[in-house]
Amino acid sequence: MAEQHHEDIEIEEDTREQFITHDDIGTEVPDDGDHPMDEDEDQEDAADNTAGPSRIAENNSVQGFQVHNGSVFCVACHPTEPLAATGGEDDLGYIWDITDSEVIVKLTGHSDSVTCIAWSSDGEMVSTGGMDGKVRLWRRVGRENYRTWEFLTELQGPDEVMFLRWHPKGNVLLAGSNDSTLWLWQLPSGNTMQVFAGHTGAVNCGDFTPDGKKIASACGDNTFIIWDPRSSTPSVKLSSEDQRFDLDGITSLAVNSSSTLAVVGGANGGVRIISLSKGEVVAALAGHKEGESIEAVAFADILGTGSGPGFALTGGTDGKICIWDLSTMKLRTTLVHQDAITNLLVHPSPKPYLVVSGCADGSLRTWDARTGARVREHKGHQAPVLSASLGLHGSVVVSAGDDNTALVFTTEPTDDE
């Protein structure tokens, strides 16, 4: 860990004033198009996918969940079990079995759309957050299986819940609110541990650092804050007063596995890398089309070395996924969709080089980020993919769509793909 820290500091010092431009852009991997199927193949494919929505010419999902009455806004896969939790426009959430779409429990009690859903790190509790400002909790009953759940408590405070994140090592829940505050609760008691006030816009994104020692949050008025969970006073605050940080509002945020760097994406297409130890912008990355919002960001150890700063991935409404080598702060590869990127997911070890992207055209794709090759195309949605989550150690991805449907796809490459 000491060696990792040393390497990160060297990079930060070398790139503190570095702005990356299109001159530094590496290879771009174009979309090679979708080859039309023969009529006989098309009919056979439709017949083999009865679980998914009807009237879809191409549907290679292995399971479909069509219980929500309205758009499915959020999905989260259980950390270990074949379960998914979804929330939707119908003010409801569900826990369901991804192998057969059986409803395990209906998550009720919201009076407006359920837009956030998250499992505790041990999978013993699930939380839902809604546009009604409520955060509701359920927990597993017994120790024999994960088939029985009970309502635990309702938490209130936020105006409208923008995101939910569980502490990586304990039963502590973080929520971002539309009213510029963040809330921290201890579970299962439901006691409020902290209310963070320092933003002036909707807190669009935030998370605990993987080591659990800090919280990073960002809002629509272009402010990024690092918090000590034990204090309501910001530890570090960056805003557009520093012109290097002018992003026209922050739309996405992620923290690397060593808890040393954050990547934030802006509404204007800008990307910034931030040192969490120094509270400084160490690089400004330019690879997306100006004015196109960065909707998804992630970190990955693509080469599997377990050392160094790794790679940052950014996905924008320009349809591009940029993969940045943080050892040089230069663009390694660009992957291309035909519409806006809505989600980016990185597989866990031992395949951290596999990346799944969700798109507004209704498709998802699994990529090999080492080569830029498209491994699989996941089709079945008739409307934009709004959320996605990896399950069963990355072997499946569950997607939530604007077509009232959640679909399950396998992500592992096959012999003919």
Side-chain angles (χ1 to χ4, degrees):
M1 182 60 70
E3 182 180 355
Q4 168 72 53
H5 179 71
H6 176 68
E7 291 178 356
D8 286 340
I9 293 300
E10 287 183 343
I11 290 164
E12 291 162 6
E13 290 176 351
D14 291 343
T15 60
R16 189 169 304 156
E17 296 302 324
Q18 182 174 7
F19 278 65
I20 309 302
T21 68
H22 286 278
D23 293 335
D24 297 305
I25 293 176
T27 59
E28 179 168 312
V29 181
D31 179 17
D32 56 5
D34 299 320
H35 302 291
M37 302 175 66
D38 293 336
E39 184 176 354
D40 292 341
E41 293 175 340
D42 189 37
Q43 292 173 353
E44 181 181 353
D45 182 71
D48 290 340
N49 288 280
T50 56
S54 59
R55 300 184 305 279
I56 297 180
E58 295 183 81
N59 182 357
N60 58 6
S61 64
V62 296
Q63 199 57 245
F65 185 73
Q66 297 177 276
V67 178
H68 284 281
N69 183 23
S71 299
V72 187
F73 290 132
C74 52
V75 60
C77 288
H78 191 277
T80 58
E81 300 298 312
L83 300 175
T86 50
E89 188 180 12
D90 53 6
D91 310 346
L92 294 171
Y94 291 94
I95 298 175
W96 50 280
D97 190 322
I98 64 174
T99 66
D100 60 10
S101 296
E102 178 190 357
V103 173
I104 305 302
V105 62
K106 185 177 182 179
L107 310 176
T108 61
H110 286 280
S111 58
D112 207 336
S113 297
V114 177
T115 54
C116 315
I117 203 155
W119 298 93
S120 59
S121 58
D122 59 7
E124 295 293 304
M125 288 183 281
V126 66
S127 56
T128 59
M131 294 179 68
D132 55 5
K134 297 177 182 178
V135 176
R136 291 174 62 81
L137 281 295
W138 284 259
R139 65 179 170 188
R140 180 164 73 116
V141 177
R143 287 291 178 264
E144 293 184 2
N145 54 49
Y146 285 82
R147 313 297 289 186
T148 306
W149 296 77
E150 66 179 4
F151 175 70
L152 175 61
T153 188
E154 180 177 298
L155 309 173
Q156 293 185 332
D159 172 54
E160 176 184 329
V161 184
M162 305 300 289
F163 66 86
L164 291 172
R165 296 290 186 274
W166 286 88
H167 192 279
K169 301 177 182 179
N171 291 329
V172 174
L173 182 64
L174 175 70
S177 174
N178 190 53
D179 65 3
S180 77
T181 60
L182 293 101
W183 294 72
L184 196 66
W185 297 281
Q186 176 74 55
L187 276 306
S189 67
N191 293 334
T192 301
M193 299 176 63
Q194 204 69 256
V195 180
F196 301 103
H199 291 286
T200 56
V203 187
N204 296 324
C205 43
D207 207 346
F208 293 98
T209 54
D211 62 12
K213 296 180 180 179
K214 298 176 181 178
I215 293 170
S217 62
C219 69
D221 73 346
N222 213 62
T223 302
F224 171 87
I225 298 179
I226 303 171
W227 310 87
D228 181 333
R230 298 164 296 183
S231 171
S232 60
T233 302
S235 299
V236 172
K237 189 172 184 178
L238 300 175
S239 70
S240 54
E241 293 179 3
D242 178 354
Q243 292 188 359
R244 283 175 57 92
F245 205 66
D246 187 6
L247 296 168
D248 287 347
I250 299 170
T251 52
S252 49
L253 178 155
V255 179
N256 69 345
S257 60
S258 60
S259 303
T260 56
L261 297 173
V263 57
V264 295
N268 64 0
V271 177
R272 301 292 184 269
I273 305 298
I274 301 166
S275 165
L276 297 183
S277 59
K278 296 184 176 182
E280 297 177 353
V281 175
V282 296
L285 310 178
H288 290 277
K289 185 176 180 181
E290 186 176 352
E292 296 283 353
S293 177
I294 307 301
E295 293 297 304
V297 295
F299 280 96
D301 179 21
I302 291 172
L303 302 181
T305 61
S307 62
F311 298 81
L313 291 79
T314 58
T317 56
D318 57 0
K320 291 184 177 181
I321 302 165
C322 294
I323 303 179
W324 306 93
D325 185 342
L326 298 186
S327 64
T328 60
M329 294 295 177
K330 292 187 177 182
L331 188 58
R332 175 187 174 94
T333 306
T334 301
L335 313 176
V336 181
H337 271 274
Q338 295 302 306
D339 207 336
I341 307 301
T342 57
N343 297 267
L344 285 176
L345 306 170
V346 177
H347 276 233
S349 180
K351 296 182 178 180
Y353 52 85
L354 290 180
V355 175
V356 178
S357 55
C359 184
D361 65 6
S363 71
L364 299 98
R365 292 175 179 176
T366 297
W367 309 84
D368 187 328
R370 299 169 302 182
T371 62
R374 189 176 68 187
V375 175
R376 299 199 77 166
E377 180 96 3
H378 312 292
K379 291 188 174 183
H381 284 290
Q382 302 180 73
V385 175
L386 302 180
S387 180
S389 178
L390 291 171
L392 300 180
H393 309 291
S395 62
V396 299
V397 60
V398 183
S399 56
D402 207 15
D403 56 0
N404 308 359
T405 303
L407 297 177
V408 183
F409 301 93
T410 56
T411 62
E412 300 298 327
T414 60
D415 293 338
D416 58 349
E417 291 181 296

